[in-house]
Amino acid sequence: MNTCATCVHRAGEPVEAGWKTPEGVVPTYFECKRAAHDGGYEYKSGQQMLVIDGSGYKAALCVELTFGCNQWEEKT
């Protein structure tokens, strides 16, 4: 299965979640650049993901390395 671990759209350094799992693990997430942010967004044909934040701050789709979706593209 193709996951975020090998996807070209995964960006930046991992961000720690503000909570722990029942096992005491702090999950880490990466930003997905494939999902467009709503600020100043103009629709592009074929765009299938959009994140919206009503407060006017940055919105981002954050994913674990094991997440997979149909927008996956191989990192070269």
Side-chain angles (χ1 to χ4, degrees):
M1 178 180 184
N2 299 325
T3 66
C4 296
T6 59
C7 184
V8 70
H9 301 297
R10 180 179 52 119
E13 296 297 317
V15 176
E16 288 189 354
W19 65 87
K20 292 183 179 179
T21 67
E23 298 80 24
V25 177
V26 177
T28 57
Y29 296 88
F30 290 86
E31 185 174 347
C32 174
K33 293 292 189 182
R34 182 69 172 120
H37 174 246
D38 71 327
Y41 180 73
E42 293 181 23
Y43 179 78
K44 297 176 185 168
S45 180
Q47 182 71 42
Q48 296 181 356
M49 292 190 297
L50 171 67
V51 290
I52 299 174
D53 177 63
S55 69
Y57 290 101
K58 180 181 179 182
L61 173 64
C62 295
V63 295
E64 290 188 310
L65 292 178
T66 56
F67 185 76
C69 78
N70 68 350
Q71 297 296 302
W72 179 89
E73 290 182 48
E74 186 174 11
K75 190 181 289 189
T76 55

